[in-house]
Amino acid sequence: MENKAENKQLNPGGRPNLSGEEVLAYRLVTRVNEKDYLAIQRDFSLWQSGRVGRIADYLREIILNRNTPKLTVAKGDIQKDQVVELTQTLHNIRQHLKHLDTNYNQIAKRINSIEHTGKLHYEVQTSKVFIDKIGPIITQIDSLVKAQTEEIFKK
């Protein structure tokens, strides 16, 4: 019985308490018309692609960064928002490519469980060639996303 009490002390479980600066104690409430609401929802869905976050996080980011000047990239007139949007798009493409690999594995398992697989085996092997070509593309997208993210948030 004593071991259980000791283990509970070592790992209490649950989310740790936030420190004083991290506690979100104040609530802001506003009303908008339907056109503005739809625009906010559209912008939120673009912001959310490739990341996890609630609309409250999105609105907080907009409010806190309202006076921050736009960062322009040295070569060309691409602004920070465009780079972030491009990074999110690359992330979405990467996710879809990864899903192809997962789907291929599921299909291959199912086909391998069938007894008569003569031509199916050939089709699986042909598909595997395409899936193997996707791997380097995913790696390239990962390196692009990493480079863009580091460039944006470098200070």
Side-chain angles (χ1 to χ4, degrees):
M1 198 54 122
E2 211 172 294
N3 277 343
K4 287 183 181 180
E6 288 176 14
N7 287 341
K8 201 165 195 168
Q9 293 290 337
L10 294 176
N11 187 5
R15 189 183 85 182
N17 293 334
L18 298 174
S19 66
E21 293 178 0
E22 295 174 329
V23 175
L24 304 176
Y26 301 97
R27 179 183 298 247
L28 302 175
V29 179
T30 187
R31 295 194 181 276
V32 294
N33 62 25
E34 185 175 359
K35 184 179 105 181
D36 292 341
Y37 178 75
L38 293 174
I40 290 170
Q41 286 295 337
R42 184 189 67 243
D43 292 344
F44 169 65
S45 64
L46 289 173
W47 176 86
Q48 192 179 29
S49 63
R51 63 172 103 170
V52 177
R54 301 169 302 157
I55 194 161
D57 301 325
Y58 166 68
L59 294 172
R60 190 176 305 112
E61 183 177 308
I62 288 175
I63 292 169
L64 295 176
N65 294 332
R66 70 188 178 282
N67 293 327
T68 306
K70 299 274 185 190
L71 173 68
T72 57
V73 177
K75 294 182 180 177
D77 56 351
I78 299 175
Q79 294 188 351
K80 180 180 178 181
D81 294 339
Q82 292 170 325
V83 173
V84 169
E85 186 176 339
L86 178 62
T87 303
Q88 291 170 352
T89 303
L90 284 172
H91 179 76
N92 285 338
I93 291 170
R94 178 193 177 282
Q95 292 301 98
H96 287 296
L97 291 174
K98 290 292 280 183
H99 288 301
L100 285 175
D101 192 27
T102 303
N103 290 342
Y104 168 78
N105 289 336
Q106 292 171 349
I107 292 168
K109 281 184 182 179
R110 178 70 180 130
I111 289 173
N112 289 333
S113 70
I114 299 173
E115 292 180 17
H116 305 288
T117 61
K119 186 168 181 180
L120 290 176
H121 182 70
Y122 171 77
E123 294 295 330
V124 167
Q125 295 307 318
T126 305
S127 299
K128 184 62 177 165
V129 170
F130 293 120
I131 297 297
D132 289 340
K133 289 180 181 179
I134 291 174
I137 294 171
I138 292 172
T139 304
Q140 189 177 14
I141 290 173
D142 285 344
S143 64
L144 286 172
V145 169
K146 182 179 178 185
Q148 287 178 347
T149 305
E150 288 174 351
E151 186 64 33
I152 290 171
F153 297 105
K154 194 173 21 173
K155 289 191 178 192

